[in-house]
Amino acid sequence: MHMGNWLDEIKWDADGLVPAIAQDHETGRVMMVAWMNREALERTAAEGRAVYWSRSRKKLWPKGEESGHVQKVKSIRTDCDADVVLLAIEQVGGIACHTGRESCFYRELRDGEWSAVAPVLKDPKAIYG
Amino acid sequence: MHMGNWLDEIKWDADGLVPAIAQDHETGRVMMVAWMNREALERTAAEGRAVYWSRSRKKLWPKGEESGHVQKVKSIRTDCDADVVLLAIEQVGGIACHTGRESCFYRELRDGEWSAVAPVLKDPKAIYG
C-alpha cells in the first residue's frame, strides 16, 4: 500500500512544473494546456477547479479569475510516466481560450499553413474589458 | 498572407521541443503525450503518422516501430500560443501505452491516491517480446 503523498509521485520537471491538459468532460474536446507546480495541483484537487502556474507572470493562476471562465474539475489523471496531468473539466461559459474561442487548439495545419478552424464566440474585449 | 514555413511558427522550447498530445480521432480519448522536435513534427506531417522525439533515448521515435502500434495522423493542430501540438490519430492495435493499456492516462486520483482505472489489454512482454 502506498503511504506517501500523491503529489510526490508526480515527476516535476527542472522548473518544478508539469504540463496539464484540460479536456471537456462531456465532449472530450481538448480545451487548453497550461502548467502546474505542486501548489497549483494541490489546490486544483482541493478546490475542485483548475489552478495553473503562469510561466509568464510567475504566479498561481486560478483559471477564470479575470474572465469568469472557471474550469470545474471532474477528475484528475496522470500518465504512465507521471509527468503530465489530464483534467476532465466542465468549462464555465463554454470558452477556455483568451481569444474568445471554445478551445485554444483552433489552428489546424492545412496545405502547409496553420488555419483558424473554430469561431470566436465572444470578443476578448468583452471578456477581459 | 503568411509566406514563411509553418514549422517556424511553433514556439520550440529551450531544448527545441514541444509537447504533442495524441487524441483518438473517434472517441476523443487522450492516449498519450510525448515530445517533438522540428524534424519529428515535419516527418509526422509528411508521413501521416506520429513521429516523436525520445528524450530518454535522444533520438527520433516513430511511434509503433517496435510495438506495431502506429498512430495514423488525421489532423494536426496547435494552440493559441503555438507551444503545444494536438494530433487527432487512429491508434493501430488500440493500444498506445507501453504498459499494454489503451491510453497512458490510466491512473486517476481517488481518495488521495493514484489508482489504475483502465485494464491492461495486452501483456507488454507480448508487445515488445
Side-chain angles (χ1 to χ4, degrees):
Chain A
M1 187 178 166
H2 173 68
M3 300 296 290
N5 187 302
W6 60 276
L7 288 161
D8 295 333
E9 294 183 58
I10 296 293
K11 291 210 190 80
W12 309 98
D13 72 9
D15 297 317
L17 304 176
V18 284
I21 304 166
Q23 181 179 34
D24 187 285
H25 74 117
E26 283 186 339
T27 65
R29 201 155 294 146
V30 174
M31 305 295 268
M32 58 182 279
V33 172
W35 294 78
M36 289 185 175
N37 63 5
R38 187 180 173 101
E39 187 182 355
L41 181 54
E42 188 166 30
R43 280 188 53 181
T44 295
E47 299 174 17
R49 56 130 179 199
V51 177
Y52 301 108
W53 173 258
S54 170
R55 295 182 299 173
S56 55
R57 289 177 287 156
K58 300 194 190 310
K59 63 172 193 173
L60 287 172
W61 165 32
K63 172 68 179 168
E65 65 177 346
E66 281 184 69
S67 62
H69 295 155
V70 169
Q71 294 175 336
K72 297 183 184 173
V73 173
K74 305 294 183 177
S75 73
I76 302 176
R77 291 192 176 202
T78 192
D79 65 351
C80 49
D81 296 329
D83 59 2
V84 181
V85 166
L86 176 63
L87 308 177
I89 57 121
E90 175 192 332
Q91 179 61 62
V92 173
I95 293 174
C97 187
H98 76 286
T99 65
R101 293 178 176 87
E102 181 189 16
S103 163
C104 293
F105 290 91
Y106 63 86
R107 289 188 289 173
E108 191 168 304
L109 186 61
R110 294 186 179 176
D111 301 322
E113 293 192 359
W114 296 109
S115 301
V117 295
V120 174
L121 302 177
K122 191 172 177 179
D123 186 338
K125 291 194 198 89
I127 300 175
Y128 298 97
Chain B
M1 188 179 165
H2 173 69
M3 300 297 287
N5 188 301
W6 60 276
L7 289 161
D8 294 332
E9 294 184 57
I10 296 293
K11 291 210 191 78
W12 309 98
D13 73 9
D15 297 318
L17 304 175
V18 285
I21 305 166
Q23 180 179 33
D24 187 284
H25 75 117
E26 284 186 338
T27 66
R29 201 156 292 144
V30 174
M31 305 296 268
M32 59 181 279
V33 172
W35 295 78
M36 290 186 174
N37 63 4
R38 187 180 173 100
E39 187 181 354
L41 181 52
E42 188 166 30
R43 279 188 52 180
T44 296
E47 299 173 17
R49 56 129 179 201
V51 177
Y52 301 109
W53 173 257
S54 170
R55 294 182 301 174
S56 55
R57 289 177 288 155
K58 299 191 191 313
K59 65 172 190 171
L60 286 173
W61 165 31
K63 172 69 180 168
E65 66 177 345
E66 282 184 69
S67 62
H69 295 158
V70 169
Q71 294 175 337
K72 297 182 184 175
V73 173
K74 304 295 183 177
S75 72
I76 302 175
R77 288 192 178 203
T78 192
D79 65 351
C80 48
D81 295 330
D83 58 4
V84 181
V85 166
L86 175 63
L87 306 178
I89 58 120
E90 176 191 332
Q91 179 62 62
V92 173
I95 293 174
C97 188
H98 76 286
T99 65
R101 293 179 176 87
E102 181 190 17
S103 163
C104 294
F105 291 91
Y106 64 85
R107 289 189 289 174
E108 191 167 303
L109 185 61
R110 294 185 179 177
D111 300 323
E113 292 193 0
W114 296 111
S115 301
V117 295
V120 174
L121 302 177
K122 191 171 178 179
D123 186 337
K125 292 195 198 88
I127 299 175
Y128 299 98

